[in-house]
Amino acid sequence: MNLLAELTHSEQYLLRCLTQISDADGPRFEHPFCAEEYEYCKARKILSYYSAYNARNELPFPEPVAAEIAAIGEEFARTNALRIQEAHRLQHILAEHGIESLLIKGLATCHYVYGGDLTARSYGDFDLFVHPDNAPDAYRILQKEAGYEVRDAQARQTLYARSVQHYAPLHAGPFSIDLHFRLNQDVEPTCIHFQDVYADAQRIQLHGVELVVPSAPWNFVILAHHMWRHQALEFA
C-alpha cells in the first residue's frame, strides 16, 4: 500500500520534500509492521506520518517501537519549545532595531502542516528572511546583541558563493541561524522578493509564543524552491 495515497494534499507535498522522492517511487508500507520502513521514516524525521498511517489503518506497533515513538516525540517537543522561544527572541531583537524579519520553512511549516504539534518532527537551524537592504545590519545585530558567532573561520567574511542568498551560518549553543536576504534570485522571473512575502506576513501563536512567518502559500513556495535548488524536488 502506498502511503502517499493515504495523506492529505499538504502532507503529500511535504512528505515528497522531506524524503526526496517522487510520486512514482514513494515508500510502500507493508502490513502490519516492517522494521526497515520504520527506520526509513525515523531517519527522515517523519515518524508522525508513519504513526498516523498505522493508527488510521489499525496496524499496531510492537510495544518497544510504540515506546520509542513516544520518547522521540517527547524529545522533539522539549527541544522545539526551546527553539520557538529563541526564534521569538531573535525576531524581537531585530524588531527593536526596526528590522522586519520572517521565520521561513521549519517553524512556519510546524504551524501550517502539523497544526503546531511539537511532537511531530524536529527542526534544525532558524531560517530568517530579511530585506537585502537590512541584511548587513541584521547580521551584525545577531552577533553583537543576540550572542551569535561565525564558527567557520574561513567563512567569516564570505557569503555562500553557490547561491549568494544568505550569510555564513551563525551559532550560539545548540542554535544556528541562516540569515537569508535573497531567495531564488538567479532564476527570474521566479525570484522571491522579501517585500512581496512580508506584505502577506502572518503573526502566529506557536506553543503560546508569537512568531512572524510567511502566509501558508508563500511558505510552500519557499519550501518548493529550496527543495528544487537542492535537487530534492523536480517541477514538470
Side-chain angles (χ1 to χ4, degrees), residues 5 9 20 45 47 57 62 65 77 80 86 89 94 122 153-154 170 175 187 202 213-214 218 220 232 234-235:
H9 177 72
Q20 303 182 21
K45 303 177 184 178
L47 280 178
N57 291 279
V65 172
N80 287 337
E86 178 66 2
R89 184 180 79 93
L94 292 176
S122 64
Q154 187 175 1
L170 295 170
F175 305 120
V187 191
Q202 305 293 309
V213 302
W218 270 120
F220 280 122
E234 294 183 359
F235 296 107

Side-chain angles (χ1 to χ4, degrees), residues 180-197:
H180 302 260
F181 51 90
R182 296 189 183 95
L183 294 174
N184 213 43
Q185 92 289 349
D186 54 346
V187 191
E188 292 288 359
T190 61
C191 181
I192 300 172
H193 298 283
F194 174 82
Q195 58 269 30
D196 295 334
V197 182

Side-chain angles (χ1 to χ4, degrees), residues 10-66:
S10 62
E11 288 172 328
Q12 289 178 32
Y13 167 82
L14 193 62
L15 183 60
R16 285 198 296 273
C17 290
L18 291 175
T19 59
Q20 303 182 21
I21 60 176
S22 67
D23 285 327
D25 60 2
R28 296 188 175 274
F29 295 82
E30 305 296 335
H31 295 262
F33 173 79
C34 174
E36 182 180 354
E37 290 157 357
Y38 171 68
E39 293 300 326
Y40 177 95
C41 288
K42 185 167 69 172
R44 287 159 180 79
K45 303 177 184 178
I46 54 171
L47 280 178
S48 58
Y49 288 143
Y50 191 52
S51 181
Y53 172 82
N54 274 41
R56 187 179 305 164
N57 291 279
E58 298 182 351
L59 305 176
F61 286 119
E63 183 57 36
V65 172

Side-chain angles (χ1 to χ4, degrees), residues 90 93-95 97-101 128-148 167 170 177 179-181:
L90 296 174
I93 289 172
L94 292 176
H97 290 270
I99 297 177
E100 298 167 334
S101 67
L128 278 171
F129 187 22
V130 299
H131 194 283
D133 292 347
N134 293 328
D137 285 342
Y139 198 59
R140 175 184 56 80
I141 289 165
L142 290 170
Q143 293 177 80
K144 184 177 179 180
E145 299 193 21
Y148 281 71
Y167 289 107
L170 295 170
I177 302 171
L179 183 68
H180 302 260
F181 51 90

